[in-house]
């Protein structure tokens, strides 16, 4: 998606592609609200939405994919203790039904995201992309499940409060430190620089053309 090309691919293809085509993310194009004035809001006066990934149970594979369900659940209980007015957005494909003292939102993210003031992330997938392309302030707890391109990491730091978490150390202390950093920054940020990761000037991809090319090759 988009026009972005990494200067150096972290894991380049074993066989380089003959060509690369660019396409728009239709989800982002529908949802995107470009803004240079996304203002931070006090957590005490905000409706805060935590948007985690799914609880995997034993469906684990590869590094940097997921933590064990019980560990990931306890991490969210720590966030619940530390964040006022928290609601957790349950992943639609989650494999357990966890219990929380705070509110839980089961709706589609596109439906409910506008009702919240501050968004909290700990994993990068579709939901996180929707969050950073929204016009809401974002806190991203980096718990070590994603390796990011350097340029994207810098753009993410400009877009939100990025808190690196050592999962082997005390969670509460690190969460509270991250929340304090968010409150002290009081910054106005922008999501405009992110467009290159999802949108392009000319959509070059056509599924019908791909199918025809396969048939005729």
């Amino acid at each position: 998606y988009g026009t972005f090309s990494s200067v150096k691919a972290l894991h380049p293809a074993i066989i380089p592609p003959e060509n690369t085509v660019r396409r728009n993310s239709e989800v982002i194009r529908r949802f995107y609200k470009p803004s240079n004035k996304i203002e931070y809001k006090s957590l005490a006066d905000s409706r805060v939405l935590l948007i985690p990934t799914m609880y995997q149970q034993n469906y684990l594979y590869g590094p940097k994919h997921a933590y064990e369900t019980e560990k990931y659940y306890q991490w969210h209980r720590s966030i619940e203790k530390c964040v006022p007015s928290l609601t957790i957005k349950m992943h639609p494909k989650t494999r357990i039904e966890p219990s929380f003292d705070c509110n839980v939102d089961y709706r589609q993210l596109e439906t409910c995201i506008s009702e919240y003031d501050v968004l909290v992330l700990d994993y990068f997938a579709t939901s996180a992309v929707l969050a950073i392309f929204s016009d809401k302030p974002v806190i991203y707890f980096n718990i070590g499940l994603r390796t990011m391109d350097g340029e994207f990491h810098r753009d993410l730091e400009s877009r939100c409060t990025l808190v690196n978490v050592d999962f082997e150390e005390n969670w509460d202390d690190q969460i509270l430190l991250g929340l304090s950093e968010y409150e002290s920054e009081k910054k106005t940020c922008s999501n405009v620089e992110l467009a290159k990761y999802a949108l392009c000037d000319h959509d070059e991809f056509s599924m019908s053309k791909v199918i025809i090319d396969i048939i005729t090759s």
Side-chain angles (χ1 to χ4, degrees):
Y1 297 120
T3 57
F4 175 73
S5 293
S6 177
V7 174
K8 182 180 180 181
L10 185 64
H11 302 292
I14 296 174
I15 302 175
E18 292 184 5
N19 55 58
T20 301
V21 295
R22 298 287 178 184
R23 68 179 300 189
N24 290 309
S25 167
E26 293 303 322
V27 173
I28 296 303
R29 188 158 66 173
R30 291 195 308 270
F31 181 82
Y32 186 29
K33 296 178 179 178
S35 175
N36 281 312
K37 296 182 179 180
I38 302 173
E39 295 185 358
Y40 273 28
K41 301 176 181 179
S42 169
L43 292 173
D45 301 321
S46 298
R47 294 161 296 177
V48 183
L49 184 66
L50 170 61
I51 312 171
T53 190
M54 65 191 294
Y55 294 107
Q56 293 282 356
Q57 285 290 65
N58 292 323
Y59 294 82
L60 301 173
Y61 64 89
K64 294 186 178 292
H65 172 67
Y67 286 116
E68 297 86 347
T69 287
E70 181 60 22
K71 191 171 188 178
Y72 195 45
Y73 169 60
Q74 292 302 329
W75 157 250
H76 293 147
R77 294 308 305 265
S78 290
I79 296 177
E80 179 187 32
K81 283 191 300 181
C82 297
V83 179
S85 302
L86 183 71
T87 297
I88 295 180
K89 168 65 185 76
M90 194 57 57
H91 194 287
K93 295 181 181 178
T94 193
R95 294 188 166 100
I96 67 167
E97 295 183 10
S99 175
F100 293 100
D101 296 327
C102 67
N103 293 327
V104 178
D105 200 324
Y106 292 94
R107 294 174 293 170
Q108 292 293 320
L109 185 60
E110 298 95 316
T111 302
C112 68
I113 195 171
S114 63
E115 299 176 15
Y116 297 91
D117 304 307
V118 179
L119 309 176
V120 179
L121 311 172
D122 64 11
Y123 188 83
F124 253 90
T126 304
S127 58
V129 173
L130 290 177
I132 64 173
F133 275 92
S134 75
D135 57 355
K136 311 286 183 178
V138 174
I139 301 171
Y140 175 57
F141 288 108
N142 178 14
I143 59 175
L145 292 179
R146 283 292 191 244
T147 299
M148 300 178 186
D149 177 89
E151 183 173 344
F152 176 72
H153 189 275
R154 290 189 292 274
D155 287 339
L156 188 64
E157 286 183 308
S158 297
R159 169 64 180 91
C160 63
T161 295
L162 196 156
V163 183
N164 291 316
V165 175
D166 184 341
F167 235 46
E168 301 306 315
E169 299 296 330
N170 184 279
W171 293 338
D172 290 10
D173 291 346
Q174 296 178 84
I175 293 167
L176 291 172
L177 185 63
L179 299 180
S180 176
E181 180 182 340
Y182 167 87
E183 295 280 18
S184 64
E185 284 182 325
K186 297 180 180 178
K187 67 182 181 183
T188 299
C189 56
S190 169
N191 61 14
V192 174
E193 289 298 318
L194 300 176
K196 62 189 176 187
Y197 298 107
L199 303 174
C200 52
D201 295 331
H202 177 62
D203 195 330
E204 303 170 323
F205 181 83
S206 166
M207 182 58 73
S208 59
K209 183 178 183 304
V210 170
I211 294 173
I212 292 172
D213 288 344
I214 292 172
I215 293 173
T216 57
S217 63

